[in-house]
């Protein structure tokens, strides 16, 4: 999505992919072959995903497809992906349809929702010192959102806890109903799945109702832009589970190298955004407290 409701995150991801491929090509490419990236805008519309998939897999065709950030589209297209000859490599989001069981035509780009849910539930259960925690998961009304809510529930039930699933539209302009449900459930903490605007809308509405419940979000929502929109007071209560080394870490190797590459291509402002792919060096999922971003 480069111009629709998820573009604040997925548009940056496109920039990151392009810059990384540019870096590879300038270094000689792969076996001497340069890489040409064709960017197709889906506007978070599953029907456009299908059109683009058919175009790139049969008409062009390309050597591989990346992105595919609409979970509903992934699920719908998975039979065609598995039957086809063009692999989907480095998706923006993950679904069970593509990863369970694993298949050689589909490779994710981030850690899965299961890992994000398990890390978030484990971290916050320890933080609030409640073994059998009660949680409300606010999630997009998509295949990926529902799967994430199920994973959160599974992680809680394993320890005797419980979870309430509360859907929200990707284009939502009001989160009052979701916050009223949170108030009614009285959870120990809240989990968020969505796009950056989802997190901003929900956290601001929670503030309006005086709620200061610890809240954690999926990897994609841990961006400087979200924290800037929330401000220090609200942001201090907002966490995210990161699949990658956080921005600003002075670490040798790939992280420093890709940071320099971002500077070279005029993308310094995006280096600390988890959705700008080149800035990240893969790591096991970890929970990153809000205060680390509040200084950005």
């Amino acid at each position: 999505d480069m111009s629709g409701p998820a573009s604040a995150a997925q548009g940056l991801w496109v920039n990151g992919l392009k810059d990384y491929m540019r870096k590879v090509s300038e270094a000689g490419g792969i076996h001497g072959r340069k890489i040409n990236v064709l960017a197709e805008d889906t506007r978070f519309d599953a029907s456009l995903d299908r059109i683009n998939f058919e175009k790139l897999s049969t008409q062009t065709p390309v050597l591989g497809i990346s992105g595919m950030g609409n979970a509903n589209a992934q699920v719908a297209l998975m039979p065609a992906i598995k039957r086809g000859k063009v692999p989907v490599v480095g998706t923006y989001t993950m679904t069970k349809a593509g990863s369970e069981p694993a298949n050689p035509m589909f490779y994710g780009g981030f850690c899965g929702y299961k890992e994000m849910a398990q890390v978030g539930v484990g971290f916050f259960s320890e933080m609030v010192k409640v073994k059998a925690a009660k949680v409300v998961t606010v999630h997009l009304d998509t295949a990926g959102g529902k799967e994430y809510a199920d994973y959160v529930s599974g992680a809680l039930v394993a320890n005797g806890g419980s979870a309430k699933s509360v859907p929200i539209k990707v284009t939502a302009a009001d989160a009052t109903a979701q916050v009223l449900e949170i108030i009614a459930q009285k959870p120990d903490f809240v989990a968020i799945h969505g796009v950056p605007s989802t997190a901003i809308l929900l956290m601001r509405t929670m503030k309006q109702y005086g709620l200061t419940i610890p809240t954690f979000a999926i990897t994609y929502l841990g961006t400087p832009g979200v924290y800037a929109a929330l401000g220090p007071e609200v942001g201090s209560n907002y966490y995210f589970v990161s699949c990658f080394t956080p921005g600003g870490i002075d670490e040798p190797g790939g992280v420093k190298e890709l940071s320099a590459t971002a500077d070279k291509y005029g993308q310094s402002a995006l280096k600390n955004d988890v959705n700008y792919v080149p800035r990240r060096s893969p790591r096991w999922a970890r929970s990153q407290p809000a205060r680390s971003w509040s200084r950005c």
Side-chain angles (χ1 to χ4, degrees), residues 192 195-205 225-227 229-230 238:
I192 303 178
V195 295
S197 59
T198 309
I200 295 169
L201 180 63
L202 186 70
M203 294 300 293
R204 284 177 172 175
T205 307
V226 170
Y227 283 102
L230 295 180
Y238 176 77

Side-chain angles (χ1 to χ4, degrees), residues 207 226-238 290-291 293-295:
K207 180 185 179 183
V226 170
Y227 283 102
L230 295 180
E233 181 183 352
V234 179
S236 65
N237 200 44
Y238 176 77
R291 57 183 174 273
W293 280 121
S294 64
R295 295 193 297 267

Side-chain angles (χ1 to χ4, degrees), residues 15-148:
N15 289 339
L17 180 63
K18 284 182 174 180
D19 288 345
Y20 184 76
M21 293 306 180
R22 179 181 175 185
K23 174 184 183 297
V24 171
S25 291
E26 289 180 354
I30 298 176
H31 298 300
R33 298 182 65 181
K34 302 296 178 69
I35 302 165
N36 181 29
V37 178
L38 307 176
E40 302 286 348
D41 187 5
T42 67
R43 302 197 292 275
F44 210 74
D45 183 333
S47 65
L48 292 178
D49 274 89
R50 179 174 293 279
I51 292 171
N52 289 330
F53 177 78
E54 292 297 330
K55 172 185 175 182
L56 297 174
S57 62
T58 63
Q59 298 173 26
T60 307
V62 296
L63 294 177
I65 296 174
S66 198
M68 201 168 284
N70 188 315
N72 288 342
Q74 267 192 35
V75 173
L77 286 169
M78 198 55 62
I81 293 171
K82 292 179 178 179
R83 291 194 307 266
K85 298 180 180 179
V86 179
V88 174
V89 183
T91 58
Y92 183 83
T93 189
M94 287 287 290
T95 59
K96 284 184 180 180
S99 60
E100 298 180 17
N103 74 82
M105 298 302 292
F106 185 89
Y107 298 81
F110 287 75
C111 65
Y113 287 138
K114 180 184 289 186
E115 290 78 16
M116 295 182 202
Q118 290 174 340
V119 169
V121 168
F123 178 87
F124 274 92
S125 294
E126 291 182 8
M127 190 178 84
V128 301
K129 296 180 172 57
V130 176
K131 183 177 181 180
K134 186 176 182 180
V135 178
V136 169
T137 302
V138 178
H139 63 90
L140 290 189
D141 191 16
T142 63
K146 294 170 185 175
E147 289 176 7
Y148 178 71

Side-chain angles (χ1 to χ4, degrees), residues 113-125 127-128 133-141 144-156 162-168 175 178-179 181-183 185-195 198-203 206 211-219 221 237-241 287:
Y113 287 138
K114 180 184 289 186
E115 290 78 16
M116 295 182 202
Q118 290 174 340
V119 169
V121 168
F123 178 87
F124 274 92
S125 294
M127 190 178 84
V128 301
K134 186 176 182 180
V135 178
V136 169
T137 302
V138 178
H139 63 90
L140 290 189
D141 191 16
K146 294 170 185 175
E147 289 176 7
Y148 178 71
D150 287 342
Y151 285 132
V152 171
S153 178
L156 286 160
S162 62
K164 172 69 175 181
S165 171
V166 180
I168 188 170
Q178 287 75 18
V179 170
E181 186 64 35
I182 292 172
I183 293 172
Q185 294 297 321
K186 299 180 180 179
D188 296 298
F189 51 91
V190 174
I192 303 178
H193 167 283
V195 295
T198 309
I200 295 169
L201 180 63
L202 186 70
M203 294 300 293
M206 287 173 65
L211 297 184
T212 56
I213 304 170
T215 302
F216 75 92
I218 56 176
T219 301
L221 311 188
N237 200 44
Y238 176 77
Y239 296 67
F240 70 98
V241 178
S287 187

